[in-house]
Amino acid sequence: MNAPQGAPLLRFALPAAIGLATGLPYVLSGRLRAAVLTGPGPLDVLAWLVIAGAFLLSPLLGYREARRFAQALERELDLAKKRAERDYQERLSGLLLEKAHLDVILRHMADGILLVDHDRRIVLMNPAAERMLGVPRHEAVGRDHLEVTHHFDLDERLARVLATGEPETLEIRRALPSQQILEARVALAASAQERAALVMLRDITRSRQLEQMRTEFVANVTHELRTPLTSIQGFAETLLEGALEDPDTARHFVEIMHRESSHLAALIDELLDLSRVESGKFRMRRRPTRPAELIEATRSRLAPKAEKKGIELTAGVPDDLPPVDGDPDRLIQVLSNLVDNAIKYTPAGGRVELRAAAAEGRVRIAVADTGPGIPQPDLGRIFERFYRVDKARTRTTGGTGLGLAIAKHIVEAHGGAIEVESEVGRGSTFTVILPVAGDPAATPKRP
């Protein structure tokens, strides 16, 4: 196919030229007529053979060249076909690989994805969207999105995006199957065939909860700081206005000011503790520690307070409990907070019990009381900062509302957990769960 195009033509034309060069003089000289009339001689026969051979050889050579050309063309077509098949396979493999990558991305991404066609029917849905909307993909695909999202504002936004092509953002609040806030971003996904819309869903429930907690925290800190400061300021002004002249009144006011300033100092100390714990600057000195030491130290520290209030404080610890890996001072701080709360809220004549047990590589230290108990709606928030079940009563007992939040952070920094069980009228049980010292499966968090 790549040979010079003149060579085959020359080979085809040369015999015919030789035939013409031989036959034309032969005819014009009259030898052909004489041979026909008198009979051919040897030279005539030779001339005829040369002329016939020349004219017969040309088609044979032409056929041969045509066949060679056809074979070359067939080879070229075969190569072209193989190249096309190879390119097709490579392109198909590339598309399949891209599809596999896209499937993996859609399957594992945290954001939900919905692809909605021009009729606002769901064409594609990833697993994250299934979880957020609570509808299996096989039930959602092909249905109107309203049957799945139940959100008319989203329907209006989809219509606008499909009409204008401008992206939009909105929040979707859902009450079922649980309280949920979704951020939805709607964008045009047009193709040559049709216009479609892409809906990206992000669960921002936790983010909104954290914002709410942050707002409540600032409000609570402001309130907790303002209350004792207002009290101190009020009594100081009263003293300056003449109450100093009455020793009994002055002493009473000063005692109140002292109590409020102590509460203020305790609040600031616990705020600093909480800040250090949450920022990772809370240093601990861990060592294998016997649970009996922690419980006895806590009982000894708070026994006078329990006795003064008329509450029985008991401790029951088996002798064979394995040691825990922790900072003794911090763990005593946790248990003291739990026992102190139990004493505060248990009426006179009640009982507070410290007990411990070991199971499955963990030591469980429980603080149980016979107090009024905690309502079920409050149990889920009991470890939040400044959260109080009975705000008025907590104020009179002198609590800051931070003790349980700090206790939870300290226990989690040891690789443990803290749980609460309670029933109104029957008391509460707070349980601290700590890993046994030397357990490789229980690696504590480094603060």
Side-chain angles (χ1 to χ4, degrees):
M1 290 293 292
N2 297 325
Q5 294 299 317
L9 183 61
L10 182 61
R11 287 195 295 269
F12 175 74
L14 184 59
I18 293 172
L20 285 173
T22 304
L24 193 57
Y26 177 74
V27 172
L28 292 176
S29 65
R31 291 185 63 87
L32 177 62
R33 184 169 178 275
V36 171
L37 294 175
T38 62
L43 290 176
D44 294 316
V45 174
L46 178 61
W48 292 354
L49 289 175
V50 170
I51 294 169
F55 282 102
L56 288 175
L57 185 60
S58 183
L60 291 175
L61 290 174
Y63 169 76
R64 179 185 173 191
E65 289 301 326
R67 184 179 178 188
R68 288 176 60 188
F69 179 80
Q71 289 174 344
L73 181 61
E74 186 178 357
R75 286 194 297 271
E76 288 290 338
L77 290 174
D78 189 53
L79 289 174
K81 180 181 177 182
K82 289 179 178 178
R83 280 197 299 268
E85 288 179 353
R86 184 171 63 250
D87 292 343
Y88 169 77
Q89 289 297 331
E90 289 176 356
R91 187 167 298 182
L92 180 61
S93 299
L95 291 173
L96 291 174
L97 185 61
E98 287 181 12
K99 182 180 181 300
H101 288 165
L102 181 61
D103 287 342
V104 170
I105 292 170
L106 289 174
R107 190 164 58 249
H108 292 96
M109 68 188 304
D111 292 347
I113 297 293
L114 291 178
L115 186 62
V116 182
D117 65 15
H118 64 283
D119 291 324
R120 303 201 282 283
R121 294 184 178 276
I122 296 174
V123 177
L124 181 145
M125 182 181 195
N126 74 336
E130 290 184 70
R131 292 191 296 271
M132 292 178 188
L133 300 175
V135 179
R137 179 169 32 185
H138 68 273
E139 293 183 10
V141 172
R143 294 168 60 184
D144 190 299
H145 83 93
L146 280 174
E147 299 179 40
V148 177
T149 62
H150 309 290
H151 203 275
F152 290 96
D153 190 16
L154 175 61
D155 188 61
E156 293 177 4
R157 303 296 182 95
L158 281 168
R160 281 207 297 267
V161 169
L162 287 169
T164 67
E166 295 295 324
E168 300 212 14
T169 302
L170 72 154
E171 282 191 6
I172 298 175
R173 294 178 179 267
R174 295 170 56 84
L176 296 174
S178 61
Q179 292 289 337
Q180 192 179 39
I181 304 174
L182 302 177
E183 181 185 67
R185 297 184 180 184
V186 186
L188 187 67
S191 65
Q193 287 76 27
E194 65 173 347
R195 294 169 72 86
L198 185 68
V199 182
M200 291 161 283
L201 301 173
R202 175 166 294 177
D203 191 340
I204 58 172
T205 308
R206 182 58 180 166
S207 175
R208 289 288 184 267
Q209 289 174 345
L210 291 174
E211 289 177 9
Q212 179 67 23
M213 289 171 64
R214 191 181 302 115
T215 303
E216 291 177 357
F217 177 71
V218 172
N220 284 328
V221 168
T222 303
H223 173 75
E224 292 294 333
L225 291 174
R226 182 184 292 131
T227 302
L229 286 173
T230 301
S231 178
I232 292 170
Q233 183 181 10
F235 284 114
E237 290 173 353
T238 304
L239 289 171
L240 290 173
E241 289 171 359
L244 282 170
E245 305 301 327
D246 184 347
D248 291 338
T249 302
R251 181 178 180 81
H252 177 63
F253 283 3
V254 171
E255 286 175 351
I256 294 175
M257 292 169 66
H258 180 265
R259 185 169 63 248
E260 293 293 344
S261 63
S262 297
H263 175 77
L264 188 60
L267 175 62
I268 292 172
D269 286 342
E270 291 199 350
L271 278 171
L272 291 173
D273 265 356
L274 185 62
S275 175
R276 283 192 290 266
V277 170
E278 292 185 339
S279 65
K281 298 177 181 178
F282 195 68
R283 303 184 70 84
M284 293 191 293
R285 297 176 178 84
R286 294 189 179 91
R287 63 176 175 82
T289 305
R290 293 175 58 244
E293 294 178 7
L294 303 174
I295 292 174
E296 181 55 31
T298 303
R299 192 197 66 79
S300 299
R301 177 184 291 184
L302 292 164
K305 184 174 183 177
E307 184 178 355
K308 183 178 179 180
K309 192 176 177 182
I311 293 173
E312 180 185 1
L313 178 59
T314 63
V317 185
D319 295 332
D320 59 348
L321 278 183
V324 296
D325 181 25
D327 183 329
D329 293 335
R330 295 304 180 187
L331 293 177
I332 290 172
Q333 178 184 350
V334 171
L335 295 178
S336 296
N337 177 271
L338 298 178
V339 174
D340 186 54
N341 284 345
I343 293 172
K344 285 177 185 176
Y345 295 106
T346 300
R351 187 177 73 257
V352 176
E353 180 185 5
L354 277 157
R355 56 178 183 263
E360 298 179 354
R362 297 286 190 274
V363 171
R364 302 172 66 91
I365 303 175
V367 177
D369 63 56
T370 57
I374 304 169
Q376 286 295 322
D378 295 304
L379 287 177
R381 301 189 62 189
I382 198 70
F383 294 103
E384 292 180 13
R385 297 169 292 186
F386 291 115
Y387 188 79
R388 294 184 174 98
V389 177
D390 186 344
K391 294 178 175 58
R393 186 175 179 188
T394 303
R395 183 71 192 159
T396 62
T397 58
T400 63
L402 293 173
L404 287 177
I406 293 172
K408 182 174 183 288
H409 280 292
I410 292 175
V411 172
E412 288 179 348
H414 282 80
I418 185 168
E419 299 174 349
V420 59
E421 296 177 357
S422 186
E423 185 177 343
V424 175
R426 304 193 58 146
S428 305
T429 300
F430 286 81
T431 304
V432 176
I433 306 167
L434 297 168
V436 170
D439 183 4
T443 302
K445 297 178 184 177
R446 295 287 179 187

